[in-house]
Amino acid sequence: MGEKARERAGGKAGTPAEAPTRREFLVGVSAAPVLACAASSEISGGSMPRRPVAIASANGLRATAKAIELVRSGHDPLDAAIAGVNIVEGDPNDISVGYGGLPNEDGVVELDAAVMHGPTHRCGAVAALRGIKYPSKVAKLVMERTDHVLLVGEGAQRFAVAHGFPIENLLTERARKIWLHWKETRSAIDDWLPPPPKEVDPEVRRFFGERVTGTIHCSVLDTKGDLAAVTTTSGLAFKIPGRVGDSPIIGAGLYVDNDIGAAGSTGRGEANLANCSCAMIVEWMGRGMHPMEACLEMLRRVAKHTKEKRLLRPDGRPNFQLVFYAVNKNGEYGAASMWKGRKFAVHDGSSNRLEDCAYLFE
Ligand code: ASP
């Protein structure tokens, strides 16, 4: 791990083995001294309102602002988080989420989303959902209006239509052009011919060279100390139709324990799915780890479990990006990425801003 990451994490916060038990932590919370960088500096006892926190991926600055505005006016933390990410789901300029997201290999936009509500410990999700602009709203309806947790594909779409959602074309012209260029440049032994290089739209060229990823996660701690989280995405660009990533999987793309905290992720979903990362992060926070250190510890775990050569660089480090975001019930928060250079959005009740993620590797 990078020394800077350790420094930013506030030094050694304890390994899972030596961390306090969940009970000790919870007892500790009520009497705990306030820690640096925590919104808990304004926590008061009894029923006094406390400072809310919203944490999100770097594309979520508008989401964190909206979420805090709503919890401050008394809205449920899940409604606040969903209203926040709806801004990005509906934004055609974000090519990693909702409307305008990059499509699957057939040129069809397929969306994944999940929500989790701390106070009731209920959750809902949709995966490989086509033609519905706000998948996080549908995920919440799965939570509230079914006895299920996850609906996929055609069934998820029919459920959304039953609840009045229109089927819309989510493929914007920009996303279609990026997909078409990808399709035309895949292979020299098929019948798709790309345009001459100088005719390639620079806007399209910008997205080549690296696999485009992206997602929005938002976790919210409200003024009563209740938690909720949402993760929503168009998933990996040009994925195999029907592929489901980590975002709609409870415990992987997000997890909330209302007594402890909330966590979410963006980045290579397959790595996250194989490690149940967000459930682990919340569990480690429950054993006393600072959110940032729990995120870093999870990245170490993912790196250790990455054994396939195709996923490793020559130096043995993972060749992909993964980012975790976490907030605990005390209002302490943190985010960490596998590789240096990522930011996250946070509103800590006093200001809304982007901060640098801690990181495992430079
Ligand atoms: N985690 C998302 C997925 O694997 C993609 C991303 O966040 O970039 O579907």
Side-chain angles (χ1 to χ4, degrees):
M1 151 185 158
E3 276 312 305
K4 282 188 188 146
R6 190 180 290 286
E7 278 164 32
R8 285 204 198 121
K12 192 164 183 341
T15 63
E18 57 199 24
T21 63
R22 174 173 161 160
R23 189 167 183 284
E24 283 165 346
F25 169 68
L26 293 174
V27 169
V29 165
S30 55
V34 186
L35 296 179
C37 109
S40 54
S41 56
E42 289 190 2
I43 291 178
S44 313
S47 57
M48 289 288 283
R50 44 204 278 167
R51 241 158 86 174
V53 177
I55 185 168
S57 39
N59 55 352
L61 208 52
R62 289 172 294 168
T64 48
K66 182 78 186 170
I68 293 298
E69 178 197 318
L70 290 180
V71 293
R72 280 215 161 111
S73 55
H75 286 80
D76 179 87
L78 183 55
D79 290 337
I82 291 174
V85 302
N86 285 166
I87 298 168
V88 182
E89 285 179 324
D91 180 355
N93 294 317
D94 191 313
I95 60 165
S96 70
V97 179
Y99 176 55
L102 290 179
N104 67 18
E105 68 178 20
D106 290 343
V108 180
V109 179
E110 280 184 348
L111 305 177
D112 294 343
V115 301
M116 192 153 186
H117 184 241
T120 56
H121 204 74
R122 293 177 81 192
C123 47
V126 288
L129 174 63
R130 299 179 172 195
I132 307 290
K133 221 177 199 170
Y134 297 104
S136 62
K137 290 187 184 178
V138 186
K140 185 172 180 244
L141 281 167
V142 172
M143 177 184 98
E144 288 175 336
R145 304 286 288 273
T146 78
D147 188 33
H148 305 317
V149 167
L150 173 61
L151 293 179
V152 306
E154 195 196 327
Q157 192 195 61
R158 279 164 50 183
F159 173 77
V161 169
H163 277 278
F165 286 79
I167 296 180
E168 299 175 73
N169 177 19
L170 303 184
L171 188 69
T172 57
E173 269 304 281
R174 183 184 186 211
R176 184 191 62 76
K177 283 183 187 164
I178 295 169
W179 165 78
L180 182 64
H181 189 71
W182 171 83
K183 179 123 182 121
E184 288 180 336
T185 53
R186 276 315 76 202
S187 168
I189 52 167
D190 66 17
D191 299 320
W192 293 81
L193 301 178
K198 61 176 186 315
E199 283 174 29
V200 175
D201 185 340
E203 170 67 5
V204 167
R205 194 177 292 120
R206 209 155 68 81
F207 293 100
F208 281 83
E210 249 180 60
R211 185 154 203 182
V212 180
T213 60
T215 291
I216 180 165
H217 167 76
C218 182
S219 283
V220 173
L221 173 74
D222 75 7
T223 55
K224 298 192 291 293
D226 286 327
L227 292 143
V230 54
T231 303
T232 174
T233 187
S234 50
L236 287 183
F238 322 130
K239 60 194 173 186
I240 296 175
R243 177 261 188 188
V244 174
D246 57 327
S247 308
I249 305 301
I250 306 299
L254 81 182
Y255 192 69
V256 180
D257 182 322
N258 208 47
D259 291 336
I260 299 174
S265 73
T266 61
R268 187 183 146 74
E270 280 70 11
N272 194 13
L273 282 167
N275 289 281
C276 302
S277 307
C278 288
M280 296 294 296
I281 290 169
V282 171
E283 192 57 27
W284 289 338
M285 288 196 291
R287 289 166 189 248
M289 266 197 192
H290 187 278
M292 188 190 292
E293 184 57 33
C295 293
L296 281 167
E297 183 64 22
M298 196 61 231
L299 290 164
R300 283 181 213 114
R301 176 76 63 96
V302 171
K304 190 179 97 186
H305 285 166
T306 304
K307 297 173 195 290
E308 280 180 82
K309 225 173 166 182
R310 70 187 175 90
L311 298 173
L312 294 170
R313 301 179 351 154
D315 64 4
R317 293 171 169 180
N319 61 15
F320 54 83
Q321 185 60 287
L322 191 57
V323 191
F324 296 122
Y325 315 86
V327 56
N328 69 19
K329 199 163 175 74
N330 232 9
E332 295 155 353
Y333 62 85
S337 54
M338 185 71 82
W339 289 97
K340 187 182 174 183
R342 284 303 180 103
K343 293 196 181 289
F344 67 101
V346 63
H347 195 315
D348 65 358
S350 56
S351 71
N352 192 36
R353 57 188 182 270
L354 288 176
E355 286 190 17
D356 290 330
C357 293
Y359 55 87
L360 202 52
F361 301 122
E362 293 238 22

